[in-house]
Amino acid sequence: QGCTQEYIVKNYFYYYLFKFSAALGEEIFYITFLPFTYWNIDHSVSRRMIIVWSIVMYIGQVSKDILKWPRPLSPPVVKLEMRTNAEYGMPSTHAMAATAISFSFFIATTNQYKYPFELGLVAAFVFSTLVCLSRLYTGMHTVLDVIGGALISAVLLMLLYPAWDTIDHWLLTSPFCPLFSIVVPLVLCYNYPKLDYYRPTRGDTTTILGAAAGATVGFWLNNQYAAPAYTSKSFQPGFSLVTSTMMLVLARFFVGILVVLLTRWVTKSVVLGALGYRYKFPLRDLEARRRLEVEVPYKFVTYSSVGFTATVIVPLLHELLGLM
């Protein structure tokens, strides 16, 4: 499984298109797009997307390790990724995430913003299709893996949609929300299906549930203390409306991402250092970091801090800098 095949790229357009599309289903996309929607589009849209994303991804990751369907054999396919090759194939969580994020964004915004319904539907379909096709192009999934992932995600989205408002209201108003948001994901992470040898799915699941937990606590806290909402009412004179809006959006994004990445780096260093001291292992020991008692707390604390920072600390900083 660790061997790689040599290959020649004959069509660079498809190569870079699908390599980029594959990245839309990975952590770098989640850690940028989901906070972006919270800082610049709509709080309620962001909350619903994070709820759907975390539930869909948890079910997808667990399904992989229960079904244990292998990825496509190489050869005959050429695999362009190595990290995800260590996971099982069915269902494709890239396909699940892309379907969940694109269509939940479309559904959540179609009733709040004035844009052509057909345009939103096509955009969601194109986004999810590109990610699905990228998994075939990179040799990471079979057609059945991709179709299965997209269908599972669509069914879960249809089941969750009628309860969106109820779940959102409870998470914003219930005094039990912070406890629920931390305890339930932690229990799920510590009771993740056991495998014969290590695969990165448990760590990825902990990352997702941790980020969602931190963000959910942030949503609740903002609602309790009536945190100010983002507006676009004040612009510097001399700039056009579009230019001022773009400058504001970019300023929010770059300030926010810088703080989020800094939080991630600091928290990860501190938590890993504490766990290394507790369990007596060097920080560079990859095998030790894969142990249950190390991987779950360090990833959960790190990414719950990221989620909380994105929803509470960054907006406060935006307000302080006059970017609200």
Side-chain angles (χ1 to χ4, degrees):
Q1 284 186 337
C3 298
T4 58
Q5 286 181 274
E6 292 184 357
Y7 57 88
I8 298 174
V9 178
K10 295 183 178 180
N11 190 315
Y12 281 95
F13 174 77
Y14 287 142
Y15 178 77
Y16 287 113
L17 172 65
F18 290 125
K19 288 285 282 185
F20 173 76
S21 300
L24 297 179
E26 297 174 357
E27 179 189 351
I28 188 64
F29 176 73
Y30 306 145
I31 208 170
T32 53
F33 179 71
L34 293 177
F36 180 88
T37 60
Y38 188 77
W39 301 329
N40 292 295
I41 299 178
D42 189 278
H43 287 188
S44 63
V45 171
S46 179
R47 292 196 302 267
R48 284 160 173 75
M49 288 175 63
I50 289 174
I51 291 169
V52 171
W53 168 68
S54 58
I55 293 174
V56 165
M57 288 299 289
Y58 174 76
I59 291 175
Q61 296 285 67
V62 168
S63 298
K64 280 179 184 286
D65 290 335
I66 291 176
L67 294 174
K68 298 182 179 180
W69 286 21
R71 289 185 182 269
L73 293 177
S74 177
V77 304
V78 176
K79 296 186 177 180
L80 305 186
E81 298 176 12
M82 292 309 301
R83 181 185 179 278
T84 53
N85 192 39
E87 302 175 0
Y88 290 112
M90 177 68 174
S92 166
T93 46
H94 274 71
M96 293 183 71
T99 303
I101 287 177
S102 59
F103 282 93
S104 62
F105 180 80
F106 166 63
I107 294 169
T109 57
T110 189
N111 294 324
Q112 298 188 41
Y113 298 94
K114 293 182 180 180
Y115 64 84
F117 177 88
E118 295 79 6
L119 178 63
L121 184 62
V122 169
F125 180 78
V126 169
F127 178 91
S128 55
T129 300
L130 280 175
V131 175
C132 290
L133 290 177
S134 75
R135 308 316 289 157
L136 303 179
Y137 182 88
T138 55
M140 303 313 298
H141 286 286
T142 65
V143 173
L144 186 59
D145 295 343
V146 169
I147 293 176
L151 288 178
I152 292 170
S153 187
V155 170
L156 289 172
L157 190 55
M158 287 189 292
L159 292 175
L160 289 169
Y161 175 69
W164 265 10
D165 292 337
T166 302
I167 295 172
D168 187 51
H169 178 74
W170 186 86
L171 291 176
L172 289 178
T173 59
S174 173
F176 300 105
C177 171
L179 182 64
F180 177 88
S181 299
I182 298 297
V183 172
V184 171
L186 269 176
V187 170
L188 292 176
C189 292
Y190 274 108
N191 289 276
Y192 193 84
K194 293 180 174 57
L195 300 173
D196 295 334
Y197 57 93
Y198 180 82
R199 293 182 183 272
T201 42
R202 184 184 65 202
D204 292 344
T205 303
T206 305
T207 294
I208 293 165
L209 295 185
T216 302
V217 173
F219 297 149
W220 179 85
L221 193 64
N222 288 338
N223 186 67
Q224 300 304 307
Y225 292 95
Y230 286 93
T231 63
S232 301
K233 294 180 179 178
S234 58
F235 300 101
Q236 297 178 7
F239 287 91
S240 69
L241 182 63
V242 173
T243 302
S244 299
T245 302
M246 289 301 299
M247 289 179 62
L248 189 63
V249 166
L250 290 174
R252 288 173 180 170
F253 178 73
F254 285 115
V255 168
I257 288 300
L258 179 63
V259 174
V260 164
L261 293 177
L262 182 62
T263 299
R264 178 188 174 211
W265 177 73
V266 171
T267 308
K268 180 179 179 179
S269 300
V270 171
V271 174
L272 267 179
L275 290 170
Y277 178 79
R278 168 68 176 82
Y279 294 108
K280 311 299 182 188
F281 67 86
L283 297 185
R284 296 180 181 271
D285 187 345
L286 185 59
E287 289 302 316
R289 288 165 58 170
R290 288 174 170 177
R291 286 155 42 189
L292 175 68
E293 64 272 21
V294 175
E295 183 177 59
V296 169
Y298 112 69
K299 290 202 169 183
F300 191 88
V301 173
T302 297
Y303 285 92
S304 61
S305 299
V306 166
F308 184 83
T309 297
T311 54
V312 177
I313 306 301
V314 169
L316 290 175
L317 182 58
H318 285 167
E319 183 180 17
L320 183 65
L321 296 175
L323 299 176
M324 296 296 283

